[in-house]
Amino acid sequence: TEEQRQQIYDVVLRETMRLSRLVNDMLELSRLQGGTASLSRSVFAPLPLFNLIHETYSAYAEDYQQTFVYDVPEDLPSVWGNPDRTQQVLIVLLDNAFKYTPEGGVVTLSACAEGDVVRVRVRDTGVGIPAADLPHVFDRFYKTDRSRSMDKTGAGLGLYIVKNIINLHGGEISVRSGGGETEFEFTLPLAPEQNRQNN
């Protein structure tokens, strides 16, 4: 029937996307282990990227009956980094946040300029990360209890790759979880003042 065909199509599409992500993660891991991972950086305005992410995940939140809070100022200054890699970081963090947040939950993306960096936070009201797992979430192949129980498809590489991307930017990333919230925070260096003004 048409309904059965659609169900089969959905399964094939979902599994194809999962395998594609896994292959890309393994290629990225190979570059990181071989010391060949590099990052081309330039001055770019992050606001259009954040707005695109907002548009994409607002639709996702609506479909899954979640709330997506977006708190990014219009005057966010330019940064020194790689927009594609920054987008990759945001996608991994937001995918995880929505994945582990139940219906009726809230995911928040916020950013602000602070000192010589832009500070970005992704917060969710999901299942949380056990305290014993927090020191290891950025380890290669590490999967917390919540991943084993809710997501059988991941390889435990997403956050490891995210940490390396932020490190290549010269930024920092951290995580905290407790009180019904989990928050990932990372920084991107501001562009030099002259380049910021020109941009």
Side-chain angles (χ1 to χ4, degrees):
T1 67
E2 180 62 32
E3 182 180 357
Q4 290 171 326
R5 282 196 295 269
Q6 185 61 46
Q7 289 174 347
I8 293 170
Y9 169 79
D10 289 344
V11 170
V12 172
L13 178 61
R14 186 167 60 249
E15 288 302 296
T16 301
M17 293 175 65
R18 179 181 69 85
L19 289 172
S20 177
R21 287 194 301 269
L22 180 59
V23 169
N24 288 334
D25 284 349
M26 295 304 293
L27 290 172
E28 188 72 27
L29 175 64
S30 177
R31 287 191 287 267
L32 291 169
Q33 288 180 321
T36 59
S38 61
L39 189 77
S40 60
R41 292 193 286 174
S42 61
V43 176
F44 77 94
L47 185 62
L49 171 58
F50 281 106
N51 287 339
L52 176 61
I53 289 287
H54 176 223
E55 181 179 344
T56 301
Y57 283 93
S58 291
Y60 185 99
E62 184 175 348
D63 288 343
Y64 289 89
Q65 299 179 18
Q66 297 160 320
T67 299
F68 185 29
V69 177
Y70 183 66
D71 183 19
V72 177
E74 292 288 330
D75 60 349
L76 195 67
S78 298
V79 297
W80 177 246
N82 184 297
D84 292 334
R85 294 296 195 149
T86 301
Q87 183 177 25
Q88 183 180 354
V89 168
L90 289 169
I91 288 173
V92 170
L93 295 180
L94 284 167
D95 277 354
N96 283 345
F98 279 104
K99 183 188 302 180
Y100 298 118
T101 299
E103 287 186 6
V106 180
V107 174
T108 302
L109 171 62
S110 62
C112 65
E114 186 177 299
D116 58 355
V117 300
V118 164
R119 194 171 299 277
V120 183
R121 297 181 177 93
V122 175
R123 184 169 63 251
D124 68 69
T125 59
V127 297
I129 302 174
D133 289 323
L134 281 173
H136 305 289
V137 295
F138 298 111
D139 293 352
R140 184 180 52 195
F141 296 123
Y142 192 82
K143 298 181 71 175
T144 68
D145 287 342
R146 73 173 187 166
S147 293
R148 286 194 295 270
S149 63
M150 299 180 67
D151 178 20
K152 307 295 185 181
T153 64
L157 289 174
L159 291 177
Y160 171 78
I161 292 171
V162 160
K163 180 176 176 60
N164 278 273
I165 290 173
I166 295 302
N167 287 344
L168 288 170
H169 274 90
E172 299 178 347
I173 187 167
S174 61
V175 59
R176 67 170 185 83
S177 188
E181 289 188 347
T182 297
E183 181 178 87
F184 285 86
E185 176 182 292
F186 68 89
T187 60
L188 296 170
L190 289 179
E193 181 65 29
Q194 181 178 357
N195 290 334
R196 257 199 330 272
Q197 292 174 353
N198 292 339
N199 197 58

